[in-house]
Amino acid sequence: MPNLNTSWAFALHGGAGAVAGRDYAETEKHLHELGSACRDRLENGDAALDVVEFAVAELESCGLYVAGRGSAPNSANHVELDASIMDGASRQAGAVAALQDFVNPVKVARGVMEKTPHVMLAGSGAVAFARNAGFEEVADPSAYYTLPVGVTQDDITDIAHGTVGAAVLDQSGGLAAATSTGGTFGKLHGRIGDTPLIGPGTWADDDIAISCTGIGEHIIRSGGASSIAFRYKSGIELHDAVQEMLDEVGRLGGDAGLIAVTRNGEIAMPYNSEGMKRASASSASELVVTTFGEE
Ligand code: ASP
């Protein structure tokens, strides 16, 4: 049942690409620290939009996940980064796709939202915008990118994947979501998945904030995050709304996971892959961090 006394809530994910049997103690420790910082900010009254940007930027910079520093190269041996952010109350949104060599794609996505009349910039246009706006560039790409925790060289030739995301309800009732990725391993040069797409990968409105992870092609074809929001808005319970979307991804042959936070402070973090690195807390519940097992 929704807890109507919840004043703030958040969920974070470090991707649904976790592989059973591998050790995620380091990412769980990191998610615990980051979750504590998010909790402090929300108790302090920070806005949901600022908290999702803060959390995703940290997940990008640390190199432990397949986003920002932890991203793997594509078929042309370039790292191409995708990110998006959405504010529920205003429905403002920003995104970048196939961005090369910026430290925090999510900050550039917020820049697109706030400094341009557009929702998404891609490729060389995104780079030109980010450079002109003064966002931090990767100084030495050949030395910067790392293999994330739980990823081996063998994975890079396989269809493995990972992503990071945050969904937040703040004390004033504001909802926001953000997502960032280096994409699926071995992806073609120019390939763009669900992550930078407002709708499939990231969604926030007055009722719900959602960030998806998993094989982007299947998430896009399932309708993704906004299809959950529309189900929820029509009166379907949160648990059923997220499960219907995941069932559709499964029917299409993919795997995925997602985090969702509602205006009532309900949190859902389901996945149909082997595992999903994740953390959540609210003013009514303790910080929980886990990778495998039940929600
Ligand atoms: N959704 C991301 C993509 O397809 C990958 C992931 O979430 O693991 O690019």
Side-chain angles (χ1 to χ4, degrees):
M1 281 297 289
N3 182 343
L4 299 173
N5 297 319
T6 305
S7 68
W8 59 264
F10 73 83
L12 310 174
H13 73 77
V19 179
R22 294 194 189 166
D23 181 5
Y24 293 98
E26 192 179 356
T27 53
E28 289 184 358
K29 181 170 176 287
H30 180 257
L31 282 173
H32 208 279
E33 287 162 9
L34 182 59
S36 301
C38 291
R39 181 186 58 207
D40 292 349
R41 282 172 182 252
L42 287 163
E43 279 175 347
N44 207 33
D46 282 16
L49 188 66
D50 293 336
V51 176
V52 294
E53 182 190 8
F54 159 75
V56 170
E58 167 58 27
L59 291 161
E60 290 173 336
S61 303
C62 69
L64 300 174
Y65 311 87
V66 186
R69 188 167 193 202
S71 300
N74 62 15
S75 63
N77 214 26
H78 296 136
V79 170
E80 288 187 330
L81 304 163
D82 302 330
S84 59
I85 188 165
M86 186 168 192
D87 179 53
S90 65
R91 295 282 186 102
Q92 292 277 5
V96 286
L99 176 73
Q100 286 189 16
D101 300 333
F102 279 80
V103 172
N104 288 123
V106 72
K107 293 188 182 179
V108 184
R110 185 165 178 178
V112 171
M113 172 176 123
E114 291 178 341
K115 297 178 203 287
T116 82
H118 307 304
V119 167
M120 183 191 287
L121 294 175
S124 57
V127 168
F129 164 77
R131 192 164 284 153
N132 194 39
F135 288 102
E136 186 182 355
E137 296 188 49
V138 172
D140 179 1
S142 61
Y144 182 70
Y145 296 104
T146 63
L147 274 189
V149 172
V151 172
T152 67
Q153 279 294 345
D154 289 347
D155 295 324
I156 295 182
T157 54
D158 218 344
I159 291 285
H161 57 88
T163 287
V164 302
V168 169
L169 168 71
D170 67 28
Q171 285 194 40
S172 65
L175 287 154
T179 316
S180 180
T181 192
T184 46
F185 298 166
K187 68 184 182 181
L188 291 178
H189 177 45
R191 177 267 186 189
I192 293 167
D194 61 307
T195 301
L197 302 182
I198 298 296
T202 299
W203 184 261
D205 57 28
D206 290 324
D207 298 314
I208 194 164
I210 302 162
S211 167
C212 287
T213 170
I215 310 275
E217 285 73 6
H218 298 97
I219 295 172
I220 293 168
R221 291 190 283 126
S222 78
S226 57
S227 76
I228 295 171
F230 300 143
R231 285 183 177 99
Y232 181 69
K233 221 177 267 300
S234 76
I236 297 176
E237 294 284 337
L238 178 65
H239 175 270
D240 296 334
V242 298
Q243 199 52 51
E244 283 178 20
M245 177 267 182
L246 276 187
D247 288 348
E248 185 64 2
V249 171
R251 196 184 66 78
L252 295 170
D255 64 46
L258 63 101
I259 52 172
V261 173
T262 72
R263 65 176 185 281
N264 297 322
E266 292 169 279
I267 299 169
M269 300 188 293
Y271 58 92
N272 65 1
S273 57
E274 291 179 26
M276 182 171 77
K277 295 159 243 174
R278 58 201 191 275
S280 67
S282 75
S283 50
S285 62
E286 294 295 313
L287 176 61
V288 177
V289 177
T290 186
T291 305
F292 300 106
E294 292 290 302
E295 268 189 64

